[in-house]
mmCIF file of all heavy atoms in Angstrom:
data_model
loop_
_atom_site.group_PDB
_atom_site.id
_atom_site.type_symbol
_atom_site.label_atom_id
_atom_site.label_comp_id
_atom_site.label_asym_id
_atom_site.label_seq_id
_atom_site.Cartn_x
_atom_site.Cartn_y
_atom_site.Cartn_z
ATOM 1 N N VAL G 1 -18.189 -3.787 6.657
ATOM 2 C CA VAL G 1 -18.405 -3.272 5.347
ATOM 3 C C VAL G 1 -18.438 -4.432 4.355
ATOM 4 O O VAL G 1 -17.749 -5.429 4.561
ATOM 5 C CB VAL G 1 -17.372 -2.200 4.938
ATOM 6 C CG1 VAL G 1 -17.435 -1.033 5.830
ATOM 7 C CG2 VAL G 1 -15.976 -2.796 4.902
ATOM 8 N N PRO G 2 -19.187 -4.282 3.201
ATOM 9 C CA PRO G 2 -19.186 -5.320 2.221
ATOM 10 C C PRO G 2 -17.823 -5.434 1.544
ATOM 11 O O PRO G 2 -17.013 -4.490 1.518
ATOM 12 C CB PRO G 2 -20.287 -4.877 1.202
ATOM 13 C CG PRO G 2 -20.404 -3.462 1.469
ATOM 14 C CD PRO G 2 -20.082 -3.197 2.875
ATOM 15 N N PHE G 3 -17.591 -6.542 0.854
ATOM 16 C CA PHE G 3 -16.295 -6.804 0.310
ATOM 17 C C PHE G 3 -15.851 -5.780 -0.738
ATOM 18 O O PHE G 3 -14.706 -5.362 -0.748
ATOM 19 C CB PHE G 3 -16.279 -8.253 -0.366
ATOM 20 C CG PHE G 3 -16.833 -8.245 -1.756
ATOM 21 C CD1 PHE G 3 -16.066 -8.036 -2.858
ATOM 22 C CD2 PHE G 3 -18.228 -8.488 -1.916
ATOM 23 C CE1 PHE G 3 -16.601 -8.016 -4.165
ATOM 24 C CE2 PHE G 3 -18.751 -8.492 -3.220
ATOM 25 C CZ PHE G 3 -17.949 -8.266 -4.328
ATOM 26 N N GLN G 4 -16.769 -5.248 -1.525
ATOM 27 C CA GLN G 4 -16.415 -4.279 -2.546
ATOM 28 C C GLN G 4 -15.888 -2.998 -1.910
ATOM 29 O O GLN G 4 -14.966 -2.386 -2.422
ATOM 30 C CB GLN G 4 -17.528 -4.031 -3.477
ATOM 31 C CG GLN G 4 -18.752 -3.303 -2.916
ATOM 32 C CD GLN G 4 -19.778 -4.212 -2.381
ATOM 33 O OE1 GLN G 4 -19.466 -5.365 -2.097
ATOM 34 N NE2 GLN G 4 -21.052 -3.742 -2.275
ATOM 35 N N THR G 5 -16.457 -2.595 -0.806
ATOM 36 C CA THR G 5 -15.980 -1.382 -0.107
ATOM 37 C C THR G 5 -14.603 -1.628 0.435
ATOM 38 O O THR G 5 -13.703 -0.784 0.319
ATOM 39 C CB THR G 5 -16.983 -1.011 1.015
ATOM 40 O OG1 THR G 5 -18.288 -0.762 0.419
ATOM 41 C CG2 THR G 5 -16.550 0.271 1.751
ATOM 42 N N MET G 6 -14.468 -2.785 1.099
ATOM 43 C CA MET G 6 -13.172 -3.051 1.699
ATOM 44 C C MET G 6 -12.021 -3.204 0.715
ATOM 45 O O MET G 6 -10.929 -2.631 0.924
ATOM 46 C CB MET G 6 -13.253 -4.262 2.589
ATOM 47 C CG MET G 6 -11.997 -4.789 3.231
ATOM 48 S SD MET G 6 -11.280 -3.550 4.355
ATOM 49 C CE MET G 6 -12.369 -3.827 5.784
ATOM 50 N N TYR G 7 -12.269 -3.926 -0.384
ATOM 51 C CA TYR G 7 -11.169 -4.151 -1.270
ATOM 52 C C TYR G 7 -10.862 -2.878 -2.051
ATOM 53 O O TYR G 7 -9.676 -2.645 -2.490
ATOM 54 C CB TYR G 7 -11.500 -5.344 -2.236
ATOM 55 C CG TYR G 7 -11.194 -6.663 -1.507
ATOM 56 C CD1 TYR G 7 -12.303 -7.357 -0.973
ATOM 57 C CD2 TYR G 7 -9.973 -7.146 -1.405
ATOM 58 C CE1 TYR G 7 -12.023 -8.550 -0.257
ATOM 59 C CE2 TYR G 7 -9.703 -8.356 -0.704
ATOM 60 C CZ TYR G 7 -10.763 -9.028 -0.179
ATOM 61 O OH TYR G 7 -10.510 -10.186 0.553
ATOM 62 N N LYS G 8 -11.847 -2.077 -2.387
ATOM 63 C CA LYS G 8 -11.500 -0.749 -2.957
ATOM 64 C C LYS G 8 -10.679 0.032 -1.995
ATOM 65 O O LYS G 8 -9.667 0.716 -2.398
ATOM 66 C CB LYS G 8 -12.799 0.000 -3.346
ATOM 67 C CG LYS G 8 -12.460 1.354 -3.961
ATOM 68 C CD LYS G 8 -13.693 2.169 -4.308
ATOM 69 C CE LYS G 8 -13.358 3.449 -5.083
ATOM 70 N NZ LYS G 8 -12.451 4.317 -4.290
ATOM 71 N N TYR G 9 -11.014 -0.008 -0.693
ATOM 72 C CA TYR G 9 -10.229 0.777 0.259
ATOM 73 C C TYR G 9 -8.791 0.232 0.270
ATOM 74 O O TYR G 9 -7.817 1.056 0.296
ATOM 75 C CB TYR G 9 -10.884 0.613 1.649
ATOM 76 C CG TYR G 9 -10.063 1.340 2.718
ATOM 77 C CD1 TYR G 9 -10.279 2.663 2.988
ATOM 78 C CD2 TYR G 9 -9.199 0.584 3.544
ATOM 79 C CE1 TYR G 9 -9.570 3.303 3.995
ATOM 80 C CE2 TYR G 9 -8.469 1.192 4.514
ATOM 81 C CZ TYR G 9 -8.646 2.562 4.812
ATOM 82 O OH TYR G 9 -7.897 3.180 5.769
ATOM 83 N N ILE G 10 -8.661 -1.060 0.293
ATOM 84 C CA ILE G 10 -7.276 -1.659 0.359
ATOM 85 C C ILE G 10 -6.464 -1.239 -0.903
ATOM 86 O O ILE G 10 -5.319 -0.841 -0.752
ATOM 87 C CB ILE G 10 -7.381 -3.176 0.473
ATOM 88 C CG1 ILE G 10 -7.946 -3.595 1.825
ATOM 89 C CG2 ILE G 10 -5.993 -3.799 0.249
ATOM 90 C CD1 ILE G 10 -8.361 -5.072 1.864
ATOM 91 N N LEU G 11 -7.019 -1.289 -2.094
ATOM 92 C CA LEU G 11 -6.377 -0.903 -3.250
ATOM 93 C C LEU G 11 -6.071 0.551 -3.303
ATOM 94 O O LEU G 11 -4.992 0.948 -3.765
ATOM 95 C CB LEU G 11 -7.230 -1.328 -4.488
ATOM 96 C CG LEU G 11 -7.303 -2.829 -4.697
ATOM 97 C CD1 LEU G 11 -8.370 -3.153 -5.760
ATOM 98 C CD2 LEU G 11 -5.977 -3.370 -5.204
ATOM 99 N N ASP G 12 -6.957 1.379 -2.791
ATOM 100 C CA ASP G 12 -6.671 2.803 -2.673
ATOM 101 C C ASP G 12 -5.492 3.072 -1.721
ATOM 102 O O ASP G 12 -4.688 3.928 -2.019
ATOM 103 C CB ASP G 12 -7.918 3.551 -2.237
ATOM 104 C CG ASP G 12 -9.009 3.642 -3.296
ATOM 105 O OD1 ASP G 12 -8.742 3.304 -4.447
ATOM 106 O OD2 ASP G 12 -10.157 3.989 -2.961
ATOM 107 N N GLU G 13 -5.535 2.335 -0.635
ATOM 108 C CA GLU G 13 -4.427 2.472 0.370
ATOM 109 C C GLU G 13 -3.063 2.157 -0.267
ATOM 110 O O GLU G 13 -2.036 2.792 -0.102
ATOM 111 C CB GLU G 13 -4.631 1.585 1.582
ATOM 112 C CG GLU G 13 -5.586 2.157 2.624
ATOM 113 C CD GLU G 13 -4.954 3.270 3.417
ATOM 114 O OE1 GLU G 13 -4.186 3.042 4.274
ATOM 115 O OE2 GLU G 13 -5.260 4.428 3.026
ATOM 116 N N LEU G 14 -3.040 1.047 -1.031
ATOM 117 C CA LEU G 14 -1.807 0.601 -1.698
ATOM 118 C C LEU G 14 -1.419 1.613 -2.769
ATOM 119 O O LEU G 14 -0.199 1.807 -2.970
ATOM 120 C CB LEU G 14 -2.005 -0.763 -2.271
ATOM 121 C CG LEU G 14 -2.158 -1.854 -1.164
ATOM 122 C CD1 LEU G 14 -2.474 -3.244 -1.818
ATOM 123 C CD2 LEU G 14 -0.890 -2.022 -0.405
ATOM 124 N N GLU G 15 -2.306 2.201 -3.490
ATOM 125 C CA GLU G 15 -2.001 3.168 -4.517
ATOM 126 C C GLU G 15 -1.339 4.442 -3.842
ATOM 127 O O GLU G 15 -0.332 4.896 -4.312
ATOM 128 C CB GLU G 15 -3.232 3.567 -5.309
ATOM 129 C CG GLU G 15 -2.970 4.391 -6.518
ATOM 130 C CD GLU G 15 -2.171 3.543 -7.576
ATOM 131 O OE1 GLU G 15 -2.248 2.336 -7.545
ATOM 132 O OE2 GLU G 15 -1.523 4.192 -8.423
ATOM 133 N N THR G 16 -1.970 4.809 -2.726
ATOM 134 C CA THR G 16 -1.392 5.924 -1.991
ATOM 135 C C THR G 16 -0.005 5.604 -1.458
ATOM 136 O O THR G 16 0.973 6.381 -1.548
ATOM 137 C CB THR G 16 -2.282 6.282 -0.817
ATOM 138 O OG1 THR G 16 -3.581 6.674 -1.309
ATOM 139 C CG2 THR G 16 -1.692 7.404 0.039
ATOM 140 N N ALA G 17 0.180 4.364 -0.913
ATOM 141 C CA ALA G 17 1.468 3.967 -0.334
ATOM 142 C C ALA G 17 2.507 3.897 -1.444
ATOM 143 O O ALA G 17 3.672 4.364 -1.276
ATOM 144 C CB ALA G 17 1.287 2.593 0.319
ATOM 145 N N GLY G 18 2.132 3.367 -2.621
ATOM 146 C CA GLY G 18 3.111 3.293 -3.666
ATOM 147 C C GLY G 18 3.577 4.648 -4.132
ATOM 148 O O GLY G 18 4.792 4.821 -4.429
ATOM 149 N N ASN G 19 2.659 5.596 -4.240
ATOM 150 C CA ASN G 19 3.101 6.943 -4.621
ATOM 151 C C ASN G 19 4.015 7.579 -3.576
ATOM 152 O O ASN G 19 5.022 8.263 -3.936
ATOM 153 C CB ASN G 19 1.834 7.815 -4.799
ATOM 154 C CG ASN G 19 1.022 7.442 -6.018
ATOM 155 O OD1 ASN G 19 1.562 6.809 -7.020
ATOM 156 N ND2 ASN G 19 -0.232 7.673 -5.998
ATOM 157 N N LEU G 20 3.658 7.380 -2.345
ATOM 158 C CA LEU G 20 4.478 7.958 -1.227
ATOM 159 C C LEU G 20 5.830 7.359 -1.106
ATOM 160 O O LEU G 20 6.881 8.031 -0.825
ATOM 161 C CB LEU G 20 3.735 7.829 0.125
ATOM 162 C CG LEU G 20 2.483 8.700 0.233
ATOM 163 C CD1 LEU G 20 1.693 8.221 1.495
ATOM 164 C CD2 LEU G 20 2.845 10.128 0.485
ATOM 165 N N LEU G 21 5.972 6.078 -1.419
ATOM 166 C CA LEU G 21 7.236 5.353 -1.292
ATOM 167 C C LEU G 21 8.041 5.314 -2.568
ATOM 168 O O LEU G 21 9.138 4.704 -2.623
ATOM 169 C CB LEU G 21 6.960 3.952 -0.759
ATOM 170 C CG LEU G 21 6.386 3.820 0.669
ATOM 171 C CD1 LEU G 21 6.093 2.340 0.989
ATOM 172 C CD2 LEU G 21 7.338 4.446 1.688
ATOM 173 N N ASN G 22 7.485 5.914 -3.608
ATOM 174 C CA ASN G 22 8.210 5.908 -4.859
ATOM 175 C C ASN G 22 9.571 6.594 -4.714
ATOM 176 O O ASN G 22 9.683 7.766 -4.307
ATOM 177 C CB ASN G 22 7.438 6.634 -5.963
ATOM 178 C CG ASN G 22 8.063 6.552 -7.306
ATOM 179 O OD1 ASN G 22 8.746 5.586 -7.675
ATOM 180 N ND2 ASN G 22 7.889 7.577 -8.130
ATOM 181 N N GLY G 23 10.682 5.855 -5.009
ATOM 182 C CA GLY G 23 11.991 6.400 -4.826
ATOM 183 C C GLY G 23 12.613 6.254 -3.482
ATOM 184 O O GLY G 23 13.738 6.695 -3.306
ATOM 185 N N PHE G 24 11.844 5.706 -2.558
ATOM 186 C CA PHE G 24 12.316 5.631 -1.187
ATOM 187 C C PHE G 24 13.319 4.440 -1.032
ATOM 188 O O PHE G 24 13.003 3.343 -1.483
ATOM 189 C CB PHE G 24 11.089 5.388 -0.222
ATOM 190 C CG PHE G 24 11.455 4.793 1.116
ATOM 191 C CD1 PHE G 24 12.398 5.415 1.951
ATOM 192 C CD2 PHE G 24 10.817 3.714 1.583
ATOM 193 C CE1 PHE G 24 12.661 4.887 3.190
ATOM 194 C CE2 PHE G 24 11.132 3.104 2.811
ATOM 195 C CZ PHE G 24 12.036 3.755 3.599
ATOM 196 N N THR G 25 14.475 4.659 -0.487
ATOM 197 C CA THR G 25 15.431 3.593 -0.217
ATOM 198 C C THR G 25 15.405 3.381 1.234
ATOM 199 O O THR G 25 15.831 4.207 2.077
ATOM 200 C CB THR G 25 16.801 4.051 -0.723
ATOM 201 O OG1 THR G 25 16.859 4.365 -2.091
ATOM 202 C CG2 THR G 25 17.837 2.975 -0.449
ATOM 203 N N ARG G 26 14.985 2.226 1.635
ATOM 204 C CA ARG G 26 14.845 1.864 3.065
ATOM 205 C C ARG G 26 16.167 1.467 3.739
ATOM 206 O O ARG G 26 17.085 1.007 3.040
ATOM 207 C CB ARG G 26 13.831 0.770 3.220
ATOM 208 C CG ARG G 26 14.209 -0.556 2.501
ATOM 209 C CD ARG G 26 13.067 -1.531 2.537
ATOM 210 N NE ARG G 26 13.417 -2.747 1.736
ATOM 211 C CZ ARG G 26 12.578 -3.785 1.558
ATOM 212 N NH1 ARG G 26 11.380 -3.768 2.160
ATOM 213 N NH2 ARG G 26 12.932 -4.806 0.834
ATOM 214 N N SER G 27 16.216 1.675 4.981
ATOM 215 C CA SER G 27 17.409 1.383 5.756
ATOM 216 C C SER G 27 17.476 -0.081 6.121
ATOM 217 O O SER G 27 18.569 -0.637 6.394
ATOM 218 C CB SER G 27 17.507 2.261 7.049
ATOM 219 O OG SER G 27 16.308 2.014 7.816
ATOM 220 N N ALA G 28 16.376 -0.749 6.147
ATOM 221 C CA ALA G 28 16.335 -2.204 6.520
ATOM 222 C C ALA G 28 15.026 -2.812 5.936
ATOM 223 O O ALA G 28 14.058 -2.060 5.692
ATOM 224 C CB ALA G 28 16.388 -2.422 8.017
ATOM 225 N N LYS G 29 15.005 -4.112 5.767
ATOM 226 C CA LYS G 29 13.857 -4.759 5.073
ATOM 227 C C LYS G 29 12.655 -4.966 6.029
ATOM 228 O O LYS G 29 11.645 -5.555 5.640
ATOM 229 C CB LYS G 29 14.280 -6.063 4.484
ATOM 230 C CG LYS G 29 15.114 -5.895 3.229
ATOM 231 C CD LYS G 29 15.255 -7.171 2.420
ATOM 232 C CE LYS G 29 16.207 -8.157 3.041
ATOM 233 N NZ LYS G 29 16.443 -9.292 2.217
ATOM 234 N N ASN G 30 12.681 -4.456 7.275
ATOM 235 C CA ASN G 30 11.449 -4.394 8.086
ATOM 236 C C ASN G 30 10.555 -3.332 7.745
ATOM 237 O O ASN G 30 9.417 -3.291 8.164
ATOM 238 C CB ASN G 30 11.846 -4.426 9.552
ATOM 239 C CG ASN G 30 12.508 -3.169 10.024
ATOM 240 O OD1 ASN G 30 13.198 -2.509 9.263
ATOM 241 N ND2 ASN G 30 12.300 -2.796 11.263
ATOM 242 N N LEU G 31 11.041 -2.337 6.940
ATOM 243 C CA LEU G 31 10.255 -1.262 6.400
ATOM 244 C C LEU G 31 9.770 -1.615 4.985
ATOM 245 O O LEU G 31 10.579 -2.105 4.187
ATOM 246 C CB LEU G 31 11.081 -0.007 6.305
ATOM 247 C CG LEU G 31 11.538 0.631 7.640
ATOM 248 C CD1 LEU G 31 12.492 1.795 7.340
ATOM 249 C CD2 LEU G 31 10.357 1.122 8.491
ATOM 250 N N PRO G 32 8.477 -1.423 4.628
ATOM 251 C CA PRO G 32 8.012 -1.767 3.321
ATOM 252 C C PRO G 32 8.511 -0.684 2.333
ATOM 253 O O PRO G 32 8.842 0.433 2.684
ATOM 254 C CB PRO G 32 6.504 -1.636 3.484
ATOM 255 C CG PRO G 32 6.295 -0.735 4.626
ATOM 256 C CD PRO G 32 7.395 -0.944 5.576
ATOM 257 N N ASN G 33 8.620 -1.136 1.091
ATOM 258 C CA ASN G 33 8.998 -0.168 -0.009
ATOM 259 C C ASN G 33 8.048 -0.415 -1.165
ATOM 260 O O ASN G 33 7.015 -1.149 -1.071
ATOM 261 C CB ASN G 33 10.467 -0.316 -0.352
ATOM 262 C CG ASN G 33 10.737 -1.687 -0.925
ATOM 263 O OD1 ASN G 33 9.902 -2.524 -1.054
ATOM 264 N ND2 ASN G 33 12.017 -1.921 -1.211
ATOM 265 N N SER G 34 8.325 0.230 -2.320
ATOM 266 C CA SER G 34 7.375 0.104 -3.394
ATOM 267 C C SER G 34 7.294 -1.299 -3.989
ATOM 268 O O SER G 34 6.187 -1.685 -4.509
ATOM 269 C CB SER G 34 7.839 1.032 -4.532
ATOM 270 O OG SER G 34 9.190 0.803 -4.952
ATOM 271 N N ALA G 35 8.318 -2.108 -3.835
ATOM 272 C CA ALA G 35 8.255 -3.500 -4.285
ATOM 273 C C ALA G 35 7.281 -4.299 -3.384
ATOM 274 O O ALA G 35 6.526 -5.175 -3.866
ATOM 275 C CB ALA G 35 9.665 -4.123 -4.210
ATOM 276 N N VAL G 36 7.302 -3.969 -2.091
ATOM 277 C CA VAL G 36 6.365 -4.646 -1.145
ATOM 278 C C VAL G 36 4.969 -4.261 -1.442
ATOM 279 O O VAL G 36 3.995 -5.061 -1.438
ATOM 280 C CB VAL G 36 6.727 -4.271 0.303
ATOM 281 C CG1 VAL G 36 5.608 -4.735 1.241
ATOM 282 C CG2 VAL G 36 8.043 -4.926 0.674
ATOM 283 N N VAL G 37 4.772 -2.940 -1.781
ATOM 284 C CA VAL G 37 3.451 -2.477 -2.154
ATOM 285 C C VAL G 37 2.950 -3.226 -3.395
ATOM 286 O O VAL G 37 1.797 -3.670 -3.455
ATOM 287 C CB VAL G 37 3.480 -0.985 -2.421
ATOM 288 C CG1 VAL G 37 2.126 -0.509 -3.003
ATOM 289 C CG2 VAL G 37 3.726 -0.202 -1.094
#
């Protein structure tokens, strides 16, 4: 896919991840959290 399709997809993924992990307190730093996003 062209770069614009890929980077929009990545940013959409991160937006989704950030919403899902909002308020999540991880048990260890091998798990990503909202700061990692």
